[in-house]
């Protein structure tokens, strides 16, 4: 197995947030893990992030988490960097998961704060304790997702952490609304001559073009058509924002549909299943289950997208 | 002044959620109220809803609320029904506002629950008390907006209220995700032979085509291009869902941009200002203020929309 | 009418949070306002705070708020300072209420932040804007009550505001748990040679002795036995903490009962009614209503307190 | 090892919520587990509940949870029933933990709902799915703790579950304020001739006497002086409510202090350490840590309690 180099501030493009495939009866599906990795790599992603919230990490045992991490890293075989989510209620768990993941060949870890952190000082204190605990050799991506965690990480706290911890090299931007925050991160950081970290955006990519124009380096989300995210990022890299947004807009109706919190995960897995990436769309219980109406609606939206892609190709 | 008839279960199409215009220094702008009403009517809306959350109702004095209501009703002059938001922390206020509004010629009132209602029984109890207090002559639109109120109104509670109170004739559907809830409302209601009420959808219209297909009767939201909402509803009424969604998709990039909670109101008012509907985009403080980047971004998105509309018209 | 001097950093003792009395049918009861003021002054309070959350301020019209303020100030007639709560969703309202209240003879205003402020910078920005707007002549008490507002004001933000605005002279401490925050405010402020402001504590007084030992200057809460709060603060002022806490502990069972959020207001008003301070225990709807069990329970607890007081007096 | 019989509707008295002891460096402390069990049994508890939120369950690995469960059950050796908390984000985990615990000799399991359940139907659906999954041989205690879970279980839902699932035999009542809910559960259940389940109360016991008078069967909480809870329940069982509350009131100042959410766990563990029940007061990180002021304050309150007990014993 070849190991990819660790992530650093230069990371850009699409780090796809990977689903965790299960069989119909809810067991970890390692065969689908392979096919899902192949699918993502085939679409041209620059990296992968596993065991995020979309990866149903809180519903896995530690053994399952490590088995899945191992399988993904083996299949990826160093072709792209893989970031492993290690968020946990206990710092001891974070440390153990982080070290195990790095030992298996991960390129870095992603960390969301525990709930109940309220003030700037508390949020800073949490991240600083973890960064010190993990040490300089474990690259960290800060995961900012207040809609889920209830924790708000201010621009000032990000700056402070970046100044103190060289291992903090990436920020997953997922505040909503968060466009101004992204601009503030970039402009204030530049004005102060601060180290520039990688910023990849989430929220299903719902604001990707706007975020790229405001200084994002790419996307870290799990949209079931990663090729669109890749194209958009490539076109931005080529300095073609209008062309990029034209592509984006084609997929926006489906992307917006997947964006629905909760049911979105089921829609995403069902789409991945339909595209042949995984064998079963099972979400571990308790979790969203699509009914016949949901499926017909999804199929219709996919049909509309495909018709549009065909029309565009032929125009 | 002519008075429109009161709303009932047959209401359909676009009930635009009206902004409340202020001058640059924050005073109620009654001249812009006239031009805004003209703008909405010109775009073909079937009705108007004023003093909702988008209408900054909690930032008005009672005098301002009534002055604005009076002005809107005068300008509308019975051409379309006007629903007035009367949500308040105190039932006495709800009653006073509702009776004053109806006295001024409103077609009905819209009511969101007070915060801190948790169980089905509490939510039902709140609405039932208000419905009894207002009596059968005041048509009520239930406003379901849990993202803002924190209150979740279950399908069972809606059914119970519909059975008990004939004056409850409309449901503003704004749960998110809420597509399944909408389907359940319709299918369960039909299966039980229950009275069918009007369901109009919010969330900026982000899921309007899907919601129309699931049984919505129209939209109640404040998108700054009401003509799109009108066209979409018309096309659905004509049995042309694909054509409807094609129109919708053209505007989706901008609609999604306006959808951002908080800043969305400032974006919406700025767009209305640019379209000549109001003189100032002022939002009362504390509230969102657009900076130069926000404005440039909005202008760019509007430009992309207009280019697309031109291209479509010429194709 | 005599006017009390404005509040400043030296404020101490009990600033009772006043109920707002209503008649049985929910109208403002100005006669009970007089008797309630007499009751509070008779119990020896050092000041009064009206139109706080316990005062049902969001359920009053602006006219009612001003009528109540006027009546209280007339009855108090300068004997103690009166602080008026002016929290509102709109800054324009805050300004108008603050100026009207000061014009009527208030000694200062109390201000809680609007909801949805998340980061230190946002909380600071809100308070700073209001302080600038009101100017140096309006003494401000910051109301920190995150359980109700959802806003967390950090120690760092309080320090910054104290440094910037001399008119911020008081902090109502009501975070829970909040004992450490109180200690940090005092010790950090002293270490930095910062201006020392008045800190009065809320939460029904549930931790009053501990808070006095950590540097509080008194209580700002609405316990229906204000004489206990007064005695406790007096004994602390005399350097007798054990005696103070002995008195506190006698009332603690009842105080803890009143502490219950929501129903607590109804319990408090019922107790004030039983003590002859107001004529009706009405809470404006929607609000808590005591049933027979609640009343019997309250009477039993009051009976236990009184028996204890008798036993103590005779020992 | 002897096994206690399973819990049923007749359970009453004190089911102490057990801390999970750690060594100073955060490892599971099995020796202190033994001494802690001895301490609880020595104080006369009727049962034990382990791996609740106070037991820091979310910070344990599954191996640690099972090791701790095994050790507790061995030490208890059938003398009292032991309930094991099995709440988890994944139903598969709940099932595995529940079956493993029952296999080790547990008398039943305690289950809190996952977050994000909003309506009565959703809460009922969650519990019903788990009850069906675990089957009739696993007695269940419903844990109602909305302050922590954000989920509100209505009286109607509890009734429905009791009617449907005979294995639901106990309700941990921890809503706040929740006194009326407790009365409603009892009176409605009796009026309908419904099966009467055991109700044990939490919230640190802050309202224990009031709850016993309203129909509770005992306490399920972790106050570090379990002998008080036992005495109070015994006196209530003897029909001596005033004597019970006299005992309760002696401890109330300390109990109220421990009640503080968050820091309360650290206070409780420190008190248990001082009483010789465990060797270290360590709470796993991130978690509350007492500073010198906190410790002095606690020692002072313990001193006041002990002085009072001595005075009472000699009177």
């Amino acid at each position: 197995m070849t190991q990819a180099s660790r992530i650093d501030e230069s990371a850009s493009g699409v780090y796809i947030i990977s689903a965790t495939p299960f069989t119909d009866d809810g067991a970890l599906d390692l065969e689908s893990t392979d096919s899902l990795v192949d699918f993502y790599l085939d679409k041209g992603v620059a990296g992968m992030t596993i065991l995020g919230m979309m990866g149903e990490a809180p519903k896995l045992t530690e053994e399952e988490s490590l088995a899945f991490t191992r399988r993904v890293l083996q299949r990826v075989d160093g072709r792209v960097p893989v970031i492993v989510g290690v968020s946990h209620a206990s710092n001891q768990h974070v440390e153990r998961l982080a070290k195990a993941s790095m030992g298996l060949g991960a390129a870095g870890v992603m960390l969301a704060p525990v709930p109940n952190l309220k003030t700037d000082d508390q949020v800073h204190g949490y991240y600083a304790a973890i960064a010190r605990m993990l040490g300089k050799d474990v690259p960290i991506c800060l995961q900012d997702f207040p809609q889920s965690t209830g924790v708000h990480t201010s621009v000032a706290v990000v700056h402070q952490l970046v100044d103190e911890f060289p291992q903090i090299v990436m920020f997953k931007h997922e505040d909503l609304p968060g466009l101004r925050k992204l601009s503030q991160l970039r402009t204030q950081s530049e004005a102060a001559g601060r180290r520039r970290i990688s910023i990849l955006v989430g929220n299903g990519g719902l604001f990707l073009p706007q975020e790229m124009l405001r200084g994002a380096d790419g996307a870290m989300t799990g949209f079931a058509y990663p090729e669109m995210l890749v194209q958009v990022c490539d076109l931005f890299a080529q300095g073609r924002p209008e062309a990029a947004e034209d592509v984006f807009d084609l997929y926006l109706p489906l992307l917006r549909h997947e964006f629905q919190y909760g049911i979105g995960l089921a829609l995403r897995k069902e789409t991945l299943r339909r595209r042949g990436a995984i064998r079963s769309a099972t979400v571990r219980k308790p979790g969203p289950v699509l009914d016949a109406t949901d499926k017909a609606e999804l199929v219709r939206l996919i049909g509309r997208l495909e018709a549009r892609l065909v029309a565009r190709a032929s125009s």
Side-chain angles (χ1 to χ4, degrees), chain A residues 27-101:
Chain A
L28 193 59
D29 181 352
L30 292 177
E31 284 185 49
S32 282
T33 300
D34 287 346
S35 58
L36 183 60
V37 166
D38 295 347
F39 173 84
Y40 287 141
L41 292 179
D42 182 59
K43 302 306 179 195
V45 302
M48 283 180 65
T49 303
I50 63 172
L51 299 177
M53 294 179 196
M54 178 196 159
E56 299 174 69
K59 293 182 177 173
L60 301 183
T61 64
E62 194 163 313
E63 290 68 30
E64 288 173 327
S65 294
L66 293 175
F68 180 66
T69 301
R70 189 177 294 111
R71 188 72 167 225
V72 167
L73 287 164
Q74 280 173 345
R75 191 71 174 193
V76 169
D77 197 25
R79 286 174 286 174
V80 300
V82 177
I83 299 172
V84 180
V86 296
S87 306
H88 201 279
S90 160
N91 290 4
Q92 293 181 252
H93 283 57
V94 171
E95 183 172 26
R96 199 173 52 248
L97 289 167
K99 297 205 163 156
S101 299

Side-chain angles (χ1 to χ4, degrees), chain A residues 22 24-26 56 58-60 269 282-289:
Chain A
F22 299 113
D24 286 343
D25 57 3
E56 299 174 69
K59 293 182 177 173
L60 301 183
K269 282 191 140 180
T282 301
V283 173
R284 279 198 168 168
K285 292 178 186 167
V289 179

Side-chain angles (χ1 to χ4, degrees), chain A residues 197-215:
Chain A
I197 62 170
S198 171
I199 301 182
L200 304 182
V201 304
N203 278 318
L206 192 63
F207 303 99
L208 179 58
Q210 283 61 48
E211 290 164 326
M212 293 301 286
L213 288 168
R214 284 172 180 260

Side-chain angles (χ1 to χ4, degrees), chain A residues 292-308:
Chain A
T293 306
D294 299 329
K295 286 184 185 168
E297 181 178 61
L298 175 64
V299 168
R300 181 178 166 277
L301 284 167
I302 291 174
R304 285 181 54 87
L305 169 63
E306 289 176 354
R308 209 177 320 203

Side-chain angles (χ1 to χ4, degrees), chain A residues 155 159 171 173 175-191 196-201 203 206-219 232-233 236-237 241-242 244-245:
Chain A
V155 171
H159 288 333
F171 182 74
H173 171 76
D175 209 341
L176 178 61
L179 294 177
R180 185 169 300 172
K181 182 174 178 175
L182 177 47
S183 292
Q184 287 175 339
L185 277 170
R186 283 301 189 219
T187 56
Q188 292 177 11
S189 181
E190 192 171 3
R196 185 193 189 280
I197 62 170
S198 171
I199 301 182
L200 304 182
V201 304
N203 278 318
L206 192 63
F207 303 99
L208 179 58
Q210 283 61 48
E211 290 164 326
M212 293 301 286
L213 288 168
R214 284 172 180 260
D217 297 307
V232 168
C233 288
F236 268 103
E242 300 301 329
E245 191 148 4

Side-chain angles (χ1 to χ4, degrees), chain A residues 107-129:
Chain A
V109 300
M110 182 167 73
L111 183 68
V114 290
N116 293 322
L117 305 173
K118 304 300 183 185
T119 63
D120 276 18
D121 192 50
Q122 288 168 356
V123 178
H124 171 265
Y126 175 74
Y127 275 127

